[in-house]
Amino acid sequence: MQTAQIESKADFGQIRYAQLWEDADVLTQALGDCQGKTLVSICSAGDNALAMLTLDPQRVVVVDLSPAQIACLHLRIGAYRNLTHAEFLQLMGARPSAQRKALLKKATANLDTASRAFWHSLRDDVERHGAGGVGKFERYFRIFQRYLLPLVHSRRTVDDIFVSRPKPQRQEFLDKRFNTWRWRVLLNLFFSRLVMGRMGRDRAFFEHVEGSPSQHVARRISHAAVECDPAENPYLHWIMKGTHGKALPMPWRKEFFDLIASRLDRIEIRPGSLEAFVSTGETACGYNLSDIFEYMSPDMFAKVYESILNASQPGARLVYWNMMAPRRVPEALQNKVETLSTLEETLKAQDKAFFYSDFVVERVKE
Ligand SMILES: C[S@@+](CC[C@H](N)C(=O)[O-])C[C@H]1O[C@@H](n2cnc3c(N)ncnc32)[C@H](O)[C@@H]1O
């Protein structure tokens, strides 16, 4: 097939999230014992649906409204099948590479024609940024990291963030070296409602949100930089340096690579909405709901929540994040659900994907 022909066939829309910005370590702990059960996951870039395979479920049903996001999962499936772990990291952008185009070809070799065509059309971007760097959200971080951060902090200061040190010294580093007046100006400008809406997130996202994004980000930076150890944080590393260091997101770590690769046939991809899945009459034992509730009005949220409960087995867990819009089990359904508060608190303290303000683990009563 001619290149132009291939490209004109790929019309999946845009990738928003080329990698998962939700911490799979806390997600998998929150889901509990799922051995032999059915799980459901929002796809996004696919990483967390793949991480859920480590729980040894019977299957993970993956849904997403966006064909481009589903294509991210297809790419990963091809990559786990056809690449070594070192090659996988290079393709994704976690490690430097001069051979990403060749790796992309190898990873997509056995995919369906449309997915292959889609990724072929993105080959130059993949070569430059890695497959985990080609989304709108990652582009937003790249502008921040390449053009704005250097106006505020030297390379040495940025590198120093990732030196492991005890908590009191992390606080001192944040107060004395990082949180300068220049940093605060940058934070207020870059994470303003207007700029975030334009460059990273949909404007619609802010319809149900209170407070300023920059105030929220400042609070969460303190969590990531002081409460947690930045040296262990792959998300912070990518934002500040455009790639990963020693720390990797859970499903990208070597110790899980072969296990995930051996269970790929348990992934069941259902392009479309979560609402479509829950109306099929099938039930599940655990849901990774990303932060989709934030995109819904409170009324719509209550309706969708109820339909999820109807598609849940007793004991099923609903796991989700909130960034700025508060969402928890609607009042009218509280008698059907128990909040696992102790587990939530433990996992919130460990959550490395630091921009979320709330992490929710709810369990359907038996
Ligand atoms: C809610 S967004 C959040 C992304 C996330 N913060 C991340 O790090 O990847 C994740 C995905 O949910 C999908 N999505 C949103 N609402 C959905 C729904 N009702 N059903 C299925 N997918 C949905 C979007 O297309 C998007 O790919």
Side-chain angles (χ1 to χ4, degrees):
M1 224 189 294
Q2 300 279 312
T3 301
Q5 234 181 338
I6 294 175
E7 282 172 3
S8 67
K9 282 203 168 181
D11 183 20
F12 281 18
Q14 212 184 6
I15 298 175
R16 279 183 190 280
Y17 308 96
Q19 60 179 289
L20 242 304
W21 293 93
E22 289 154 10
D23 189 344
D25 283 306
V26 304
L27 168 69
T28 47
Q29 291 178 72
L31 285 165
D33 178 9
C34 309
Q35 198 176 22
K37 308 271 174 60
T38 292
L39 297 175
V40 176
S41 179
I42 295 291
C43 184
S44 203
D47 300 305
N48 284 3
L50 293 165
M52 287 158 73
L53 292 175
T54 63
L55 300 171
D56 199 15
Q58 185 196 41
R59 58 177 184 154
V60 180
V61 178
V62 189
V63 297
D64 206 294
L65 294 167
S66 156
Q69 296 302 144
I70 298 273
C72 293
L73 176 56
H74 280 299
L75 172 67
R76 281 152 173 79
I77 291 175
Y80 276 90
R81 285 211 166 111
N82 297 340
L83 304 184
T84 63
H85 179 251
E87 289 174 333
F88 175 84
L89 293 186
Q90 288 183 44
L91 174 65
M92 300 315 290
R95 298 284 177 263
S97 178
Q99 49 164 354
R100 288 203 187 105
K101 276 189 177 166
L103 295 175
L104 183 67
K105 211 167 167 188
K106 209 164 143 187
T108 54
N110 306 112
L111 298 187
D112 62 278
T113 316
S115 300
R116 239 184 316 132
F118 178 68
W119 282 106
H120 186 76
S121 73
L122 292 174
R123 65 197 178 287
D124 291 336
D125 277 356
V126 171
E127 181 180 41
R128 272 194 294 273
H129 312 303
V134 300
K136 195 174 169 191
F137 203 54
E138 292 79 22
R139 190 156 64 243
Y140 176 66
F141 284 139
R142 197 153 47 243
I143 292 168
F144 167 80
Q145 182 249 325
R146 290 203 178 154
Y147 306 110
L148 301 176
L149 189 58
L151 303 175
V152 170
H153 283 309
S154 69
R155 197 179 168 147
R156 212 181 112 205
T157 303
V158 174
D159 286 346
D160 268 2
I161 299 169
F162 300 98
V163 173
S164 198
R165 37 170 89 76
K167 197 167 155 187
Q169 287 172 34
R170 300 206 284 266
Q171 184 71 59
E172 195 181 327
F173 181 87
L174 181 68
D175 294 342
K176 299 209 170 127
R177 295 228 2 236
F178 199 78
N179 198 7
T180 59
W181 69 267
R182 281 175 191 247
W183 168 253
R184 288 194 294 274
V185 170
L186 174 63
L187 195 69
N188 284 322
L189 288 178
F190 195 68
F191 291 100
S192 68
R193 223 165 250 265
L194 181 74
V195 177
M196 264 185 108
R198 285 249 164 115
M199 298 176 74
R201 293 230 157 213
D202 267 339
R203 273 165 178 274
F205 178 77
F206 297 107
E207 275 173 25
H208 308 290
V209 155
E210 283 166 29
S212 104
S214 60
Q215 284 167 351
H216 167 75
V217 173
R219 280 193 300 272
R220 300 309 295 161
I221 283 174
S222 173
H223 164 80
V226 181
E227 299 308 316
C228 303
D229 183 354
E232 308 274 311
N233 194 326
Y235 309 101
L236 186 65
H237 196 284
W238 189 293
I239 293 167
M240 293 294 179
K241 293 177 68 78
T243 185
H244 286 140
K246 225 173 51 205
L248 292 165
M250 182 210 159
W252 293 16
R253 285 181 215 140
K254 191 167 172 43
E255 68 252 44
F256 297 114
F257 189 76
D258 290 338
L259 184 65
I260 291 174
S262 71
R263 295 179 175 167
L264 291 171
D265 55 359
R266 301 190 201 177
I267 293 275
E268 204 179 304
I269 302 176
R270 306 255 187 109
S273 68
L274 176 79
E275 294 87 322
F277 171 82
V278 296
S279 66
T280 58
E282 293 164 86
T283 56
C285 239
Y287 285 88
N288 163 29
L289 298 163
S290 177
D291 66 337
I292 64 164
F293 293 144
E294 287 198 289
Y295 295 74
M296 300 173 189
S297 68
D299 285 350
M300 176 59 76
F301 162 57
K303 279 195 194 113
V304 174
Y305 194 101
E306 186 165 20
S307 61
I308 295 171
L309 291 190
N310 292 335
S312 294
Q313 286 159 28
R317 292 190 187 182
L318 278 55
V319 180
Y320 54 98
W321 282 264
N322 297 318
M323 188 176 287
M324 287 169 28
R327 296 283 181 269
R328 275 173 176 271
V329 54
E331 219 178 313
L333 300 169
Q334 278 171 4
N335 58 337
K336 299 190 171 172
V337 167
E338 170 197 4
T339 299
L340 302 187
S341 312
T342 312
L343 183 60
E344 278 181 4
E345 288 314 312
T346 308
L347 296 177
K348 259 191 246 186
Q350 299 170 13
D351 196 339
K352 298 182 287 303
F354 56 92
F355 6 76
Y356 298 94
S357 59
D358 203 6
F359 178 63
V360 186
V361 189
E362 287 160 345
R363 182 172 172 278
V364 179
K365 287 186 183 162
E366 314 258 345

Coordinates of all heavy atoms in Angstrom, one line a residue, residues 14-23 41-48 62-70 137-138 201 205 235 270-277 289-296 304 321 323 353 355-356, ligand 1:
Q14 N -8.0 11.9 17.6 CA -6.7 12.3 18.2 C -6.5 11.5 19.5 O -7.4 11.2 20.2 CB -6.8 13.8 18.5 CG -5.6 14.5 18.5 CD -5.8 15.9 18.9 OE1 -6.8 16.3 19.4 NE2 -4.7 16.7 18.8
I15 N -5.2 11.2 19.7 CA -4.9 10.6 21.0 C -4.8 11.7 22.0 O -4.1 12.7 21.8 CB -3.5 9.9 20.9 CG1 -3.6 8.7 19.9 CG2 -3.1 9.4 22.3 CD1 -2.2 8.0 19.7
R16 N -5.6 11.6 23.1 CA -5.5 12.6 24.2 C -4.4 12.1 25.2 O -3.7 12.9 25.7 CB -6.8 12.7 24.9 CG -7.7 13.6 24.1 CD -9.0 13.9 24.8 NE -9.9 14.6 23.9 CZ -9.8 15.9 23.7 NH1 -9.0 16.6 24.3 NH2 -10.6 16.4 22.8
Y17 N -4.5 10.9 25.6 CA -3.6 10.4 26.6 C -2.8 9.2 26.0 O -3.3 8.1 25.7 CB -4.3 9.8 27.8 CG -5.3 10.8 28.3 CD1 -6.7 10.8 28.0 CD2 -4.9 11.8 29.2 CE1 -7.6 11.7 28.4 CE2 -5.8 12.8 29.7 CZ -7.2 12.7 29.3 OH -8.0 13.6 29.7
A18 N -1.5 9.4 25.7 CA -0.7 8.4 25.1 C -0.1 7.5 26.1 O 0.6 6.5 25.8 CB 0.4 9.0 24.2
Q19 N -0.2 7.8 27.4 CA 0.1 6.9 28.5 C -0.8 7.2 29.6 O -1.5 8.2 29.6 CB 1.6 7.0 28.9 CG 1.9 8.4 29.4 CD 3.4 8.5 29.9 OE1 3.7 7.9 30.9 NE2 4.2 9.2 29.1
L20 N -0.9 6.3 30.5 CA -1.8 6.4 31.7 C -1.2 7.3 32.7 O -0.1 7.1 33.2 CB -2.1 5.0 32.3 CG -3.5 4.5 32.2 CD1 -4.5 5.5 32.9 CD2 -4.0 4.3 30.8
W21 N -2.0 8.3 33.1 CA -1.6 9.2 34.2 C -2.3 8.9 35.5 O -2.6 9.8 36.3 CB -1.7 10.7 33.7 CG -0.8 11.0 32.6 CD1 -1.1 10.9 31.3 CD2 0.6 11.4 32.7 NE1 0.0 11.2 30.5 CE2 1.0 11.5 31.4 CE3 1.4 11.6 33.8 CZ2 2.4 11.8 31.1 CZ3 2.7 12.0 33.5 CH2 3.2 12.1 32.2
E22 N -2.6 7.6 35.7 CA -3.2 7.1 36.9 C -2.4 6.0 37.4 O -2.0 5.1 36.6 CB -4.7 6.7 36.6 CG -5.6 7.9 36.4 CD -6.8 7.5 35.5 OE1 -7.0 6.3 35.3 OE2 -7.5 8.5 35.1
D23 N -2.1 5.9 38.7 CA -1.1 5.0 39.2 C -1.6 3.6 39.3 O -2.5 3.3 40.1 CB -0.7 5.5 40.6 CG 0.5 4.8 41.2 OD1 0.8 3.7 40.7 OD2 1.0 5.3 42.2
S41 N -12.4 -2.2 32.5 CA -11.6 -1.0 32.6 C -11.8 0.0 31.5 O -12.0 -0.4 30.4 CB -10.1 -1.5 32.5 OG -9.3 -0.3 32.6
I42 N -11.8 1.3 31.9 CA -11.7 2.3 30.9 C -10.4 2.1 30.2 O -9.4 1.9 30.9 CB -11.8 3.7 31.6 CG1 -13.2 3.9 32.2 CG2 -11.5 4.8 30.6 CD1 -14.3 4.0 31.2
C43 N -10.3 2.3 28.9 CA -9.0 2.1 28.2 C -8.0 3.2 28.4 O -6.9 2.9 28.9 CB -9.3 1.9 26.7 SG -7.8 1.4 25.8
S44 N -8.4 4.4 28.1 CA -7.4 5.5 28.0 C -6.2 5.0 27.1 O -6.5 4.5 26.0 CB -7.0 5.9 29.4 OG -6.5 7.2 29.4
A45 N -5.0 5.0 27.6 CA -3.9 4.5 26.8 C -3.7 3.0 26.9 O -2.8 2.4 26.3 CB -2.6 5.2 27.1
G46 N -4.5 2.3 27.8 CA -4.4 0.9 27.9 C -3.5 0.3 29.0 O -3.7 -0.9 29.3
D47 N -2.6 1.1 29.5 CA -1.7 0.6 30.5 C -2.3 0.0 31.7 O -1.9 -1.1 32.2 CB -0.7 1.7 30.9 CG 0.1 2.3 29.7 OD1 0.7 1.5 29.0 OD2 0.0 3.5 29.6
N48 N -3.3 0.6 32.2 CA -3.9 0.1 33.5 C -4.8 -1.1 33.3 O -4.9 -2.0 34.1 CB -4.7 1.2 34.2 CG -3.7 2.2 34.9 OD1 -2.5 2.0 34.8 ND2 -4.2 3.1 35.6
V62 N -12.4 -4.1 28.1 CA -11.9 -2.7 28.1 C -12.8 -1.9 27.2 O -13.1 -2.3 26.0 CB -10.4 -2.7 27.5 CG1 -9.8 -1.3 27.6 CG2 -9.6 -3.7 28.2
V63 N -13.2 -0.8 27.7 CA -14.1 0.1 26.9 C -13.5 1.5 26.8 O -12.8 1.9 27.6 CB -15.5 0.3 27.6 CG1 -16.2 -1.1 27.7 CG2 -15.4 0.9 29.0
D64 N -13.8 2.1 25.7 CA -13.5 3.6 25.5 C -14.3 4.1 24.3 O -14.5 3.5 23.3 CB -12.0 3.8 25.3 CG -11.6 5.2 25.8 OD1 -12.0 6.2 25.2 OD2 -10.8 5.2 26.8
L65 N -14.7 5.4 24.5 CA -15.4 6.1 23.5 C -14.5 6.4 22.3 O -15.0 6.6 21.2 CB -16.0 7.4 24.1 CG -17.1 7.3 25.1 CD1 -17.2 8.6 25.8 CD2 -18.4 6.8 24.5
S66 N -13.2 6.5 22.6 CA -12.3 7.0 21.6 C -11.6 5.9 20.8 O -10.8 5.2 21.4 CB -11.3 8.0 22.2 OG -10.2 8.1 21.5
P67 N -11.8 5.8 19.5 CA -11.0 4.8 18.8 C -9.5 5.0 18.9 O -8.7 4.1 18.8 CB -11.5 5.0 17.3 CG -12.8 5.7 17.4 CD -12.7 6.5 18.7
A68 N -9.1 6.3 19.0 CA -7.6 6.6 19.1 C -7.0 6.0 20.4 O -5.9 5.5 20.4 CB -7.3 8.1 19.0
Q69 N -7.8 6.1 21.4 CA -7.3 5.5 22.7 C -7.3 4.0 22.6 O -6.4 3.3 23.1 CB -8.2 6.0 23.9 CG -8.2 7.5 24.1 CD -6.9 8.0 24.4 OE1 -6.5 9.1 24.1 NE2 -6.0 7.3 25.1
I70 N -8.3 3.4 22.0 CA -8.3 1.9 21.8 C -7.1 1.5 21.0 O -6.5 0.5 21.2 CB -9.6 1.5 21.1 CG1 -10.8 1.8 21.9 CG2 -9.6 0.0 20.7 CD1 -11.3 0.8 23.0
F137 N -2.3 15.5 25.8 CA -1.9 15.7 27.2 C -0.3 15.8 27.4 O 0.2 16.7 28.0 CB -2.5 14.6 28.1 CG -2.7 15.0 29.5 CD1 -3.4 16.1 29.9 CD2 -2.2 14.2 30.5 CE1 -3.5 16.5 31.3 CE2 -2.3 14.5 31.9 CZ -3.0 15.6 32.2
E138 N 0.3 14.8 26.7 CA 1.8 14.8 26.8 C 2.4 16.0 26.1 O 3.5 16.5 26.5 CB 2.3 13.5 26.2 CG 2.0 12.2 27.1 CD 0.6 11.7 26.8 OE1 0.0 12.1 25.7 OE2 0.0 11.0 27.7
R201 N -6.7 19.8 28.6 CA -8.0 19.2 29.0 C -9.1 19.9 28.2 O -9.0 21.0 27.9 CB -8.2 19.3 30.5 CG -7.2 18.6 31.3 CD -8.0 17.8 32.3 NE -7.2 16.6 32.7 CZ -7.8 15.5 33.0 NH1 -9.1 15.3 32.9 NH2 -7.1 14.5 33.5
F205 N -14.4 19.8 30.8 CA -13.9 19.3 32.0 C -14.1 20.2 33.2 O -14.4 19.8 34.3 CB -12.4 18.9 31.9 CG -11.8 18.4 33.2 CD1 -12.1 17.1 33.6 CD2 -11.1 19.2 34.0 CE1 -11.6 16.6 34.7 CE2 -10.6 18.7 35.2 CZ -10.8 17.4 35.6
Y235 N 5.8 9.4 37.0 CA 5.0 10.4 36.3 C 5.6 11.8 36.5 O 5.7 12.6 35.5 CB 3.6 10.4 37.0 CG 3.0 9.0 37.1 CD1 3.0 8.3 38.2 CD2 2.5 8.5 35.9 CE1 2.5 7.0 38.3 CE2 2.0 7.2 35.9 CZ 2.0 6.4 37.1 OH 1.5 5.1 37.1
R270 N -13.9 -3.7 23.8 CA -15.3 -3.3 23.4 C -15.3 -1.8 23.1 O -15.6 -1.0 24.0 CB -16.3 -3.6 24.5 CG -16.3 -4.9 25.0 CD -17.5 -5.7 24.5 NE -17.5 -7.0 25.2 CZ -18.4 -7.3 26.1 NH1 -19.4 -6.5 26.4 NH2 -18.4 -8.5 26.7
P271 N -15.0 -1.4 21.9 CA -15.0 0.0 21.6 C -16.4 0.6 21.9 O -17.4 -0.1 21.6 CB -14.8 0.1 20.1 CG -14.1 -1.2 19.7 CD -14.7 -2.2 20.7
G272 N -16.5 1.7 22.6 CA -17.8 2.3 23.0 C -17.8 2.7 24.4 O -16.8 2.6 25.1
S273 N -19.0 3.0 24.9 CA -19.1 3.6 26.2 C -19.2 2.5 27.3 O -19.6 1.4 27.1 CB -20.3 4.5 26.3 OG -21.5 3.7 26.3
L274 N -18.8 2.9 28.5 CA -19.1 2.1 29.7 C -20.6 1.8 29.9 O -21.0 0.7 30.2 CB -18.5 2.8 30.9 CG -18.8 2.1 32.2 CD1 -17.8 0.9 32.4 CD2 -18.8 3.0 33.4
E275 N -21.3 2.9 29.6 CA -22.8 2.8 29.7 C -23.3 1.6 28.8 O -24.2 0.9 29.1 CB -23.5 4.1 29.3 CG -23.2 5.2 30.3 CD -21.9 6.0 29.9 OE1 -20.9 5.4 29.5 OE2 -21.9 7.2 30.1
A276 N -22.7 1.5 27.6 CA -23.1 0.4 26.7 C -22.8 -1.0 27.4 O -23.6 -1.9 27.3 CB -22.4 0.5 25.4
F277 N -21.6 -1.1 28.0 CA -21.3 -2.4 28.7 C -22.3 -2.7 29.7 O -22.8 -3.8 29.8 CB -19.9 -2.4 29.3 CG -19.6 -3.6 30.1 CD1 -19.3 -4.8 29.5 CD2 -19.9 -3.6 31.5 CE1 -19.1 -6.0 30.3 CE2 -19.7 -4.7 32.3 CZ -19.3 -5.9 31.7
L289 N -12.6 2.9 36.8 CA -13.4 3.9 36.1 C -12.6 5.2 35.8 O -13.3 6.2 35.5 CB -14.6 4.2 37.0 CG -15.5 2.9 37.1 CD1 -16.5 3.1 38.3 CD2 -16.3 2.6 35.8
S290 N -11.3 5.1 35.9 CA -10.5 6.3 35.7 C -11.1 7.5 36.4 O -11.5 7.4 37.5 CB -10.4 6.5 34.1 OG -9.7 7.6 33.8
D291 N -11.2 8.6 35.7 CA -11.9 9.8 36.3 C -13.1 10.2 35.5 O -13.5 11.3 35.4 CB -11.0 10.9 36.6 CG -10.5 11.6 35.3 OD1 -10.5 10.9 34.3 OD2 -10.1 12.8 35.4
I292 N -13.8 9.2 34.9 CA -14.9 9.5 33.9 C -16.1 10.2 34.6 O -16.8 11.0 33.9 CB -15.4 8.3 33.1 CG1 -16.1 7.3 34.0 CG2 -14.3 7.7 32.3 CD1 -17.0 6.3 33.2
F293 N -16.3 10.0 35.9 CA -17.4 10.6 36.5 C -17.3 12.2 36.6 O -18.3 12.9 36.6 CB -17.6 10.1 38.0 CG -18.0 8.7 38.0 CD1 -17.5 7.8 39.0 CD2 -18.8 8.1 37.1 CE1 -17.9 6.5 39.1 CE2 -19.2 6.8 37.1 CZ -18.7 6.0 38.1
E294 N -16.1 12.6 36.6 CA -15.9 14.1 36.6 C -16.4 14.8 35.4 O -16.6 16.0 35.4 CB -14.4 14.4 36.7 CG -13.8 14.1 38.1 CD -12.5 14.8 38.3 OE1 -11.5 14.4 37.6 OE2 -12.5 15.8 39.1
Y295 N -16.5 14.0 34.3 CA -17.0 14.6 33.0 C -18.5 14.6 32.9 O -19.0 15.0 31.9 CB -16.4 13.8 31.8 CG -14.9 13.9 31.7 CD1 -14.0 13.2 32.6 CD2 -14.3 14.7 30.7 CE1 -12.7 13.3 32.5 CE2 -12.9 14.7 30.6 CZ -12.1 14.0 31.5 OH -10.7 14.1 31.4
M296 N -19.1 14.1 34.0 CA -20.6 14.0 33.9 C -21.2 15.0 34.9 O -20.6 15.3 36.0 CB -21.1 12.6 34.4 CG -20.6 11.5 33.5 SD -21.0 9.9 34.2 CE -20.0 8.8 33.1
V304 N -25.6 6.9 35.9 CA -24.6 5.9 35.4 C -24.1 5.1 36.6 O -24.0 3.8 36.5 CB -23.4 6.7 34.8 CG1 -22.3 5.7 34.4 CG2 -23.9 7.4 33.5
W321 N -10.9 7.9 40.3 CA -10.2 9.1 40.8 C -11.1 10.3 40.5 O -11.9 10.3 39.6 CB -8.9 9.3 40.0 CG -7.8 8.5 40.4 CD1 -6.8 8.8 41.3 CD2 -7.4 7.2 39.9 NE1 -5.8 7.8 41.4 CE2 -6.2 6.8 40.6 CE3 -8.0 6.3 39.0 CZ2 -5.6 5.6 40.3 CZ3 -7.4 5.1 38.8 CH2 -6.2 4.7 39.5
M323 N -10.2 14.5 40.0 CA -9.2 15.5 40.0 C -9.7 16.8 40.8 O -9.1 17.1 41.8 CB -8.8 15.9 38.6 CG -7.6 16.8 38.6 SD -7.0 17.2 36.9 CE -6.3 15.7 36.4
A353 N 0.5 9.3 40.9 CA -0.1 10.2 39.9 C -0.8 11.3 40.6 O -1.9 11.3 40.9 CB -1.0 9.4 39.0
F355 N -1.8 14.4 40.4 CA -2.7 15.6 40.2 C -4.1 15.3 40.7 O -5.0 16.2 40.8 CB -2.8 16.1 38.8 CG -2.1 15.4 37.8 CD1 -2.6 14.2 37.3 CD2 -0.9 15.8 37.3 CE1 -2.0 13.5 36.3 CE2 -0.2 15.1 36.4 CZ -0.8 14.0 35.9
Y356 N -4.5 14.1 41.1 CA -5.8 13.8 41.5 C -6.0 14.2 43.0 O -5.1 14.0 43.8 CB -6.1 12.3 41.4 CG -6.1 12.0 39.9 CD1 -4.9 11.4 39.3 CD2 -7.2 12.2 39.1 CE1 -4.9 11.2 38.0 CE2 -7.1 12.0 37.7 CZ -6.0 11.4 37.2 OH -5.9 11.2 35.9
Ligands
LIG1 C1 -11.6 10.0 31.6 S1 -10.2 10.1 30.6 C2 -9.0 10.4 31.8 C3 -7.6 10.0 31.4 C4 -6.7 9.8 32.5 N1 -6.6 10.9 33.4 C5 -5.3 9.2 32.0 O1 -4.3 9.4 32.6 O2 -5.3 8.5 31.0 C6 -9.9 8.4 30.1 C7 -10.6 7.9 29.0 O3 -12.0 7.8 29.3 C8 -12.7 7.8 28.1 N2 -14.1 7.9 28.5 C9 -14.7 9.0 29.1 N3 -16.0 8.8 29.4 C10 -16.3 7.5 29.0 C11 -17.4 6.7 29.0 N4 -18.5 7.1 29.5 N5 -17.3 5.4 28.5 C12 -16.2 5.0 28.0 N6 -15.0 5.7 27.9 C13 -15.1 7.0 28.4 C14 -12.1 8.8 27.3 O4 -12.3 8.6 25.9 C15 -10.6 8.7 27.7 O5 -9.9 7.9 26.7

